Amino acid sequence: MDIVVKVVQLILCLSLLVFVHELGHFMFAKLFKTRVEKFYLFFNPWFSLLKFKIGETEYGIGWVPFGGYVKIAGMIDESMDKEQMKQPPQPYEFRSKPAWQRLLIMTGGVIMNILTAFVIYVCMSWHYGESYIADKDVPDGYAYGELAQEIGFRDGDRIVSVRGKTYDNFMDMQRDIIIGGEGTIVVEQNGERREITITEAHIPRLLNNDSWFMTLRMPFVIDSVVPEQAAARAGLQPGDSLTALNGVPMRYRDEYVRAFKTYAGDSVQAAFVRNGMEETLTIVIPDSSRIGVYNKINFPDLYPISRKQYTLWEAIPQGFHRAGEQLSSYLQQLKLIVNPQTEAYKQVGSVVAMGNFFPASFDAYVFWNITALFSIMLAVMNILPIPALDGGHVMFLLYEVITRRKPSDKFMEYAQTVGMFLLLGLMLLAFGNDIFRLFR
């Protein structure tokens, strides 16, 4: 059932974004009196689920989801309609229009996707406002995973700046540490500052890290105890909150995890609070250093939630800011992906990975947030200078504007074919990564 909910959300999201994208091409084509022969949501090889004709355009719904297209007369596209291109150019055809009009027709989809993301972010800022845990409200710093510790972070470090930039939102800061590439991060603990350098050698591991990198610190409050393990044998119970180990006061879980590793194989005196009363007991720490408990995660109870509400007029610049921030972030990720040394290509995923973005139960805020992100991603991917994508057509149109020489139809056919093979290769890479992750 969870998978069905995710799939439905993914289809709804992509259907909306593909429709909006193709609508952008359609509107600019109509604006410049260019004939649109077909407008389809989903692909329709061999047959269509629904189709009807209004004027010169056939509208329809195909049976293969996750796509769509508009077929514009006189244009070499994925339909590879060579017979039409053999006929003399007609005034209503794409190839007969001035270069600047063809440029706008081809960028119409990307424009609409960026605009869609902006509108979603404006509406979300206006309706929901903004809620986050601010860095200033984390006075004791963060807990860091194994990879972060290897790079040089230590539990309790506060982040002063990341590559010269300061942050208010903890999640934004963590994201930029991971995908920001090389640079210097300034941290502070107990009033002392030091620099941590992210090198090119760190980037592949940061991007392909299967474990957590950093998180908010939490007290050692027990949620449940594993039977027959060290904690259960010592007498610890759900609800107990550890306060000290061998007389050394400790507050956070990461401090205890580190101490358990130090005392692996030995006995320790643990102080804890149960029902408001402080007690002590002896725990025999196994060689694995795992005592067999699950901790209670209660971040909202530990850290204040910063909230911002926006009027409609305030939400408009906020929408610009959020759309620009996501665009910049995705471009940074794309820069890493095309660099083989970063191994970021291993994170490229297909619709399987995209579906996992959605939660198992519908949440309107999450759905629209992901939809806005995917809209940015669709815009960026389509504007890449690859033949068969909008960006490929734009590249050749810019060449025409600059040189005043139009590429031949035969050249465009070859370029379209090459581009389709490149896209097929990318699809195989994406599906291959998803299959590898599934079995791993």
Side-chain angles (χ1 to χ4, degrees), residues 20-21 23-28 103-113 390:
V20 166
H21 181 89
L23 184 63
H25 296 307
F26 178 85
M27 290 193 303
F28 276 107
L103 187 63
L104 285 173
I105 291 172
M106 291 314 305
T107 56
V110 171
I111 292 170
M112 284 294 289
N113 281 130
D390 297 344

Side-chain angles (χ1 to χ4, degrees), residues 385-397:
I386 299 175
L389 292 178
D390 297 344
H393 291 279
V394 169
M395 176 176 64
F396 293 127
L397 281 168

Side-chain angles (χ1 to χ4, degrees), residues 11 15 18 40-44 49 60-69:
I11 292 176
S15 298
V18 168
Y40 266 77
L41 177 63
F42 305 154
F43 294 112
N44 62 323
L49 296 179
I61 300 177
W63 60 274
V64 181
F66 310 121
Y69 67 97

